[in-house]
Amino acid sequence: MKKKIIHFALGTMLLVGLFPVEAQQAKKGFRIGYLGNVRPAAGSTLKDPFFLGLREHGWIEGQNIVIERRYWENRIDRLPALVDELIRLNVDLIVTSTGGAALFAKKATTIIPIVMIHSADAVAQGLVASLARPGGNVTGMTAILPDVVAKQLKLLKEAFPKVSRVAVLTCPRRGLEGGSGQWLEVQAPAQVLKMYPQFLDVRGPEDIVGAFQEAIRKRADALLVLGCPFIPSSETVDLATKSRLPAMYGHRRFVQAGGLIMYGASEADLSRQAAVYVDKILRGAKPADLPVQQPLKFELVINLKSAKQIGVTIPPEVLMWADEVIE
């Protein structure tokens, strides 16, 4: 009888000892580091397609995941410190909104998985060995389609047939966002459309005013802003409006800030795809085994309020092509 009591007591002690450990592990969950550019408005992350995608896959912030958000606010020099901070927090995975941020993260760690929501040519940037077989700790979404630039220029010409001299805002350090082929990506379709691109380097927000002054000096009659993580949206849009330059952008953040036209990959779709990859990695998949994906959906957004401000009219046929018209 005593032996049975002793065995029961020991078994009870073991069970009591195990349950707190399991409860503690379940409570801890995973810690995700999120590297974004511009800090969103309060409460807007509740509607963000990436965070909604995580919830759809069962990852609830505050329950089974902790999200450490960090923003570099158009100051790319802040990225190394922000990446180091996330690594010190011992995050299980890093999500980046751009390929440039992913590049800084990859330089800092080869162990922690990295998922890109959006990037330019990930192979040209040295982020992955190939799209089909990334081969390292980085995967996610990339856009390596020169056709996008050709479409942007064609839309500019369709909307404003008299446009010929196009100021092109670009990053001189293309290792961050796409590779050295950018000049050809613009020059080749521009020649077909009889347009003459004027490349203006922007190394940081401090160069924006000078770039616009150069564009005016060279008598540019339109603006094309290529993918670049440290071209500030609000200031760029304000200067384009004051200069009365019809402007084409590749990212939604510019039309949200009041920009005229945006054509590019659907950022909502890219965000949802990135959430799928985060889910797979948290459940045991390796980034090296997850092919880097290209955009499946593109969108055209036109801001009529901006058109009125600079005194231009968008042709009805161009408006008909738009996925969204902001009035």
Side-chain angles (χ1 to χ4, degrees):
M1 184 69 178
K2 288 184 178 180
K3 288 183 179 180
K4 288 184 179 180
I5 294 174
I6 292 171
H7 289 160
F8 177 78
L10 287 172
T12 302
M13 289 173 65
L14 287 171
L15 288 172
V16 171
L18 284 173
F19 281 139
V21 173
E22 291 177 355
Q24 186 178 2
Q25 288 175 343
K27 185 178 179 180
K28 177 186 176 184
F30 290 98
R31 187 177 295 270
I32 297 175
Y34 179 86
L35 272 176
N37 184 359
V38 180
R39 190 180 302 276
S44 63
T45 55
L46 297 175
K47 301 179 181 179
D48 187 288
F50 173 71
F51 298 108
L52 285 175
L54 289 181
R55 291 182 67 89
E56 289 170 2
H57 288 89
W59 300 106
I60 313 299
E61 187 173 4
Q63 294 185 19
N64 53 6
I65 57 168
V66 174
I67 300 177
E68 299 287 352
R69 295 176 175 84
R70 299 295 184 272
Y71 300 94
W72 69 86
E73 303 285 1
N74 292 313
R75 289 182 52 193
I76 206 152
D77 58 298
R78 296 185 60 197
L79 275 169
L82 294 177
V83 171
D84 287 344
E85 186 177 347
L86 292 177
I87 292 174
R88 287 197 303 271
L89 289 170
N90 198 30
V91 295
D92 299 287
L93 184 147
I94 295 176
V95 178
T96 67
S97 61
T98 69
L103 192 61
F104 280 100
K106 183 184 178 182
K107 288 178 180 178
T109 176
T110 58
I111 299 173
I112 300 174
I114 299 166
V115 175
M116 308 172 293
I117 292 178
H118 184 277
S119 76
D121 191 333
V123 177
Q125 288 180 269
L127 284 162
V128 298
S130 71
L131 299 187
R133 298 179 181 275
N137 63 323
V138 180
T139 189
M141 313 300 133
T142 191
I144 57 172
L145 301 174
D147 291 346
V148 173
V149 175
K151 180 71 171 180
Q152 290 172 334
L153 290 173
K154 185 177 180 181
L155 284 167
L156 264 179
K157 195 71 171 179
E158 292 282 353
F160 312 104
K162 294 182 180 180
V163 162
S164 61
R165 294 181 296 274
V166 181
V168 183
L169 297 190
T170 179
C171 302
R173 292 177 288 174
R174 288 297 287 175
L176 288 175
E177 282 295 312
S180 59
Q182 185 187 30
W183 187 86
L184 290 175
E185 290 176 7
V186 177
Q187 190 69 28
Q191 286 180 345
V192 174
L193 295 167
K194 296 183 179 180
M195 301 170 81
Y196 307 96
Q198 307 163 350
F199 290 89
L200 303 173
D201 288 346
V202 178
R203 295 175 176 82
E206 67 279 0
D207 291 340
I208 290 294
V209 173
F212 271 89
Q213 290 174 343
E214 183 70 5
I216 298 302
R217 188 184 70 79
K218 291 183 176 181
R219 300 171 61 194
D221 45 27
L223 175 71
L224 173 62
V225 180
L226 298 180
C228 190
F230 44 83
I231 293 180
S233 50
S234 295
E235 188 176 1
T236 302
V237 167
D238 288 344
L239 287 168
T241 301
K242 291 176 182 177
S243 304
R244 300 178 74 82
L245 285 174
M248 168 68 71
Y249 306 95
H251 295 280
R252 178 173 279 269
R253 63 185 173 98
F254 289 97
V255 289
Q256 289 174 333
L260 181 61
I261 304 176
M262 171 262 171
Y263 178 79
S266 167
E267 294 175 23
D269 192 56
L270 291 174
S271 296
R272 285 189 289 266
Q273 292 182 60
V276 172
Y277 269 19
V278 169
D279 172 62
K280 290 183 177 182
I281 291 171
L282 293 182
R283 297 184 189 279
K286 296 180 180 179
D289 300 329
L290 296 174
V292 175
Q293 296 187 22
Q294 296 188 58
L296 299 175
K297 183 179 179 181
F298 294 83
E299 59 183 357
L300 171 63
V301 183
I302 298 175
N303 191 326
L304 289 182
K305 183 178 179 181
S306 175
K308 291 178 183 178
Q309 286 179 323
I310 64 175
V312 299
T313 301
I314 307 295
E317 59 270 24
V318 176
L319 287 174
M320 287 179 60
W321 300 333
D323 298 282
E324 181 181 348
V325 176
I326 300 172
E327 299 190 43

